[in-house]
Amino acid sequence: MISIIIPVYNTEKYLRRCIDSVLHSACDNFEILLVNDGSTDSSPAICEEYSRQDSRVKVIHQKNQGVSSARNTGLDHCHGEWIVFVDSDDFISKDFLSLIAKEIHQDKDLLLFDFSKHIAGQASAAYPVRTLTFQGKEMQELIRRILVPQPLYAGGSADFRTPCARAYRKYIIDRYSIRFSPGLTVGEDLLFNLEYQLRASSCAYTSIPVYYYDIHMGSATHGFRSGLLKNHARLLRQLKQLLEHCHMLPLLEPAYESYCLENLTYVLIWEVFSPLSPRSYRTKCRMCAAMQKNAIYRKAMKYNLKSGILPRKILVFFFRLKCYHMTSLICRVSYMHLKGNDF
């Protein structure tokens, strides 16, 4: 059986589409866990409606605690051999679950598939199907891609940081007590996937788009994000502790340092020097000074010229020199460029 965990928070506009996409799957051996995370719209009523209509749909209500807590609640109550996460404003293809249930996948620990952006009225393009398998030491390449994202092949759309468009083994999650970190508001998916893939010994990737998402205007994910500095410092510490605990830091140190630099630039662009920040320039400089004192960032900046794209190298270069006026200018340009590309 496959457990589909769907955190729900104020998504009444998209929720029916999401649930229907699962119920219309070619494979019917599944359970749906709708975890209502304190919604204030009609989402709870919609969840209850589907639960009354189909015994495979279970509803759990909780006070608003965030998506990590909602997913953890689903993990605490699911019974399937495979676990799939779906966001309530997205939807899945009819064959997603049947691909998971294929006999050739039953000896694998992790299954990866492709994403597709949903555009109303436009059919998905057809591409040749590729199938890749990984096991043993080959799994290190997949772990590295969590820290330094790279497609498995040109044109591939697998995402190594999200928990969606993939299937996890419940016994691995239970054996190692793997959970999402409620203390993180950004990066909790990356941390969860890293911990899981450090424990998994095999993986199959199939280049079939099975997960469809919309880009909603005004998304909070890519605007001014107060609290990123503290969140990302905590995230880096937890990542390092996890890699050290699994004795993988020496093997993955360049990738980890590259991620630290990505983390640093993300904080600079989306919080410290975001055009939407209400903070004074003096406050922003104090935040930069605090980042300069962070031992993890200081070490990572020594790797700046060895990895990453040129714009990031330039930004980190001026930041390291404490040229904050130039750092601010580069961040503002980067912000406008990223917003213009729907990031």
Side-chain angles (χ1 to χ4, degrees):
M1 185 170 70
I2 303 170
S3 294
I4 298 91
I5 297 173
I6 305 177
V8 179
Y9 180 69
N10 290 351
T11 50
E12 59 183 6
K13 182 179 178 181
Y14 307 98
L15 185 54
R16 293 182 185 277
R17 180 184 69 176
C18 176
I19 301 173
D20 286 341
S21 73
V22 181
L23 293 177
H24 296 158
S25 296
C27 169
D28 61 3
N29 186 22
F30 61 82
E31 64 173 356
I32 300 177
L33 291 90
L34 300 172
V35 184
N36 169 43
D37 189 44
S39 297
T40 57
D41 63 0
S42 65
S43 295
I46 295 174
C47 292
E48 292 292 346
E49 174 190 331
Y50 276 90
S51 180
R52 290 191 298 268
Q53 294 174 355
D54 196 312
S55 61
R56 296 172 297 180
V57 180
K58 301 173 177 61
V59 182
I60 304 170
H61 298 283
Q62 66 179 35
K63 294 181 181 179
N64 180 244
Q65 301 173 60
V67 66
S68 290
S69 176
R71 287 172 178 160
N72 289 341
T73 297
L75 289 173
D76 291 339
H77 292 84
C78 67
H79 299 93
E81 298 173 356
W82 290 101
I83 295 174
V84 169
F85 295 102
V86 180
D87 289 341
S88 57
D89 53 351
D90 299 329
F91 61 100
I92 64 173
S93 68
K94 186 175 182 179
D95 60 347
F96 184 14
L97 303 186
S98 59
L99 288 170
I100 295 172
K102 290 177 66 172
E103 184 65 30
I104 59 173
H105 288 153
Q106 301 317 300
D107 64 341
K108 300 296 186 293
D109 291 341
L110 175 67
L111 303 179
L112 298 176
F113 301 92
D114 275 356
F115 282 80
S116 181
K117 179 180 176 182
H118 172 242
I119 303 177
Q122 180 173 317
S124 299
Y127 297 98
V129 176
R130 297 170 182 256
T131 301
L132 303 173
T133 59
F134 304 85
Q135 59 184 7
K137 292 185 177 181
E138 295 172 340
M139 293 293 290
Q140 292 179 17
E141 277 305 310
L142 298 184
I143 296 170
R144 187 174 286 105
R145 279 175 166 80
I146 297 175
L147 299 171
V148 184
Q150 291 177 307
L152 287 171
Y153 72 97
S157 61
D159 189 326
F160 295 94
R161 295 182 175 179
T162 176
C164 303
R166 56 173 57 205
Y168 304 88
R169 283 288 191 182
K170 185 178 188 297
Y171 80 88
I172 294 180
I173 289 176
D174 289 346
R175 176 183 297 174
Y176 297 102
S177 300
I178 303 173
R179 291 294 186 272
F180 292 89
S181 177
L184 296 173
T185 57
V186 181
E188 71 282 1
D189 296 347
L190 181 152
L191 186 62
F192 181 90
N193 280 344
L194 182 64
E195 184 169 7
Y196 184 90
Q197 288 183 211
L198 285 167
R199 309 299 188 182
S201 60
S202 60
C203 172
Y205 163 69
T206 305
S207 65
I208 296 177
V210 299
Y211 193 98
Y212 297 87
Y213 66 95
D214 298 303
I215 294 178
H216 309 305
M217 296 302 294
S219 171
T221 302
H222 294 101
F224 171 61
R225 298 296 302 272
S226 179
L228 270 183
L229 177 55
K230 291 182 179 179
N231 180 90
H232 277 41
R234 185 183 305 118
L235 172 60
L236 288 182
R237 290 194 301 269
Q238 292 183 227
L239 282 173
K240 185 175 182 180
Q241 290 169 359
L242 177 60
L243 291 171
E244 288 175 336
H245 178 74
C246 295
H247 308 290
M248 292 294 289
L249 186 57
L251 290 172
L252 296 171
E253 186 169 13
Y256 173 73
E257 301 299 348
S258 179
Y259 176 72
C260 292
L261 293 173
E262 177 190 335
N263 178 298
L264 183 152
T265 56
Y266 191 91
V267 173
L268 288 173
I269 294 170
W270 299 107
E271 181 177 18
V272 179
F273 292 115
S274 167
L276 302 181
S277 173
R279 300 183 179 115
S280 67
Y281 179 73
R282 179 175 296 181
T283 298
K284 295 174 183 179
C285 289
R286 284 199 294 265
M287 295 176 72
C288 288
M291 295 173 71
Q292 295 276 4
K293 293 178 182 178
N294 185 310
I296 294 178
Y297 283 147
R298 286 206 310 271
K299 182 179 179 182
M301 285 190 284
K302 296 178 181 179
Y303 286 76
N304 184 43
L305 299 180
K306 300 178 182 179
S307 66
I309 59 176
L310 182 59
R312 188 175 84 183
K313 292 179 181 179
I314 295 173
L315 174 56
V316 174
F317 173 79
F318 283 106
F319 173 79
R320 190 180 184 187
L321 292 178
K322 301 181 182 180
C323 298
Y324 296 145
H325 279 293
M326 182 60 71
T327 301
S328 174
L329 175 60
I330 297 172
C331 285
R332 292 175 72 89
V333 171
S334 299
Y335 179 95
M336 299 309 297
H337 172 73
L338 293 170
K339 292 291 285 186
N341 283 281
D342 289 328
F343 279 95

